[in-house]
């Protein structure tokens, strides 16, 4: 599969490593230009490349919006049209402060609804957001099983593609249903959200 990843921070880098190791082609983009990603692309090997956000969105069968909460508007605006694209949303509403991570106020809205409003027409899938970046980067094989990746979305084909990606990397994808019902279970603050609820499939 071809995967575009907009955002080359800890989550984007962790996913790029998993995907390239599993035989997928990855294009990465950030806000500073493709040339700044040369060291990471070199580390990832021949299946990785760098481009602009537009090139990256056009490249991917799946496009990952792997940016921090406060960067989501600017990142989404770098691609003029999201219509029909499969977009994977691993974003949590966290801000890094001097006192550590703090939860942003979403005004009672689900984070996936907020992200969906920034990528109109996209086939949005929520997932890969329940592990801290250092844990996400680890081998998903653990304790004799596989780490579970919870997925939610309103487009069955989009969820199937993201599930294929997750499973190919050694995770166990679990479809929790729609964004409204399933997504609410594991978004930040949900009953299955956050590192206090590690899930392993045996």
């Amino acid at each position: 599969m071809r995967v575009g990843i907009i955002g080359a921070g800890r989550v984007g880098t962790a996913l790029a490593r998993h995907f390239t190791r599993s035989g997928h082609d990855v294009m990465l983009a950030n806000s500073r230009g493709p040339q700044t990603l040369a060291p990471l692309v070199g580390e990832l090997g021949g299946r990785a490349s760098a481009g602009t956000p537009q090139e990256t969105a056009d490249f991917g069968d799946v496009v990952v919006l792997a940016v921090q909460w406060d960067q989501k508007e600017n990142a989404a605006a770098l691609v003029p049209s999201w219509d029909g694209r499969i977009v994977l949303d691993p974003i949590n509403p966290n801000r890094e402060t001097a006192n550590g991570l703090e939860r942003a106020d979403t005004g009672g809205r689900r984070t996936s609804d907020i992200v969906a409003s920034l990528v109109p027409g996209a086939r949005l899938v929520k997932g890969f957001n329940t592990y801290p970046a250092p844990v996400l980067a680890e081998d998903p094989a653990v304790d004799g099983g596989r780490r579970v990746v919870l997925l939610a979305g309103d487009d069955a084909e989009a969820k199937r593609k993201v599930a294929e990606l997750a499973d190919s990397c050694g995770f166990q994808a679990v479809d929790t249903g729609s964004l409204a019902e399933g997504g609410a279970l594991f978004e930040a603050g949900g009953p299955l959200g956050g590192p206090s609820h590690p899930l392993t499939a045996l």
Side-chain angles (χ1 to χ4, degrees):
M1 208 176 296
R2 290 156 61 104
V3 186
I5 302 177
I6 298 176
R10 291 176 295 178
V11 170
T13 297
L15 290 176
R17 288 190 175 121
H18 283 306
F19 296 154
T20 53
R21 287 171 185 161
S22 303
H24 304 289
D25 294 319
V26 169
M27 181 179 286
L28 292 141
N30 63 9
S31 60
R32 295 177 294 135
Q35 67 281 357
T36 64
L37 293 168
L40 176 58
V41 167
E43 175 196 332
L44 292 171
R47 290 196 173 275
S49 60
T52 65
Q54 180 68 68
E55 290 168 341
T56 300
D58 291 341
F59 174 86
D61 300 313
V62 173
V63 184
V64 187
L65 198 60
V67 297
Q68 294 182 18
W69 180 251
D70 288 340
Q71 298 172 331
K72 63 190 184 303
E73 289 88 357
N74 289 340
L78 294 172
V79 180
S81 175
W82 290 96
D83 195 43
R85 303 182 194 274
I86 297 176
V87 175
L88 171 59
D89 164 26
I91 304 172
N92 285 319
N94 297 324
R95 294 190 175 109
E96 292 187 9
T97 71
N99 298 319
L101 285 180
E102 292 185 358
R103 184 79 51 81
D105 182 4
T106 64
R109 297 175 68 194
R110 291 189 302 271
T111 61
S112 56
D113 288 343
I114 295 172
V115 174
S117 72
L118 302 175
V119 291
R123 301 153 68 190
L124 190 71
V125 179
K126 186 75 180 178
F128 285 97
N129 64 301
T130 56
Y131 298 106
V135 176
L136 180 63
E138 295 174 358
D139 188 339
V142 60
D143 297 331
R146 297 187 289 167
R147 285 197 171 102
V148 167
V149 169
L150 301 175
L151 302 177
D154 299 330
D155 185 294
E157 174 66 12
K159 282 191 290 187
R160 185 186 65 77
K161 279 190 174 291
V162 175
E164 286 179 5
L165 269 178
D167 291 343
S168 73
C169 296
F171 294 95
Q172 174 63 60
V174 174
D175 183 351
T176 66
S178 68
L179 287 172
E181 296 179 359
L185 293 175
F186 63 90
E187 288 191 356
L192 297 178
S196 60
H197 302 282
L199 297 173
T200 304
L202 299 178

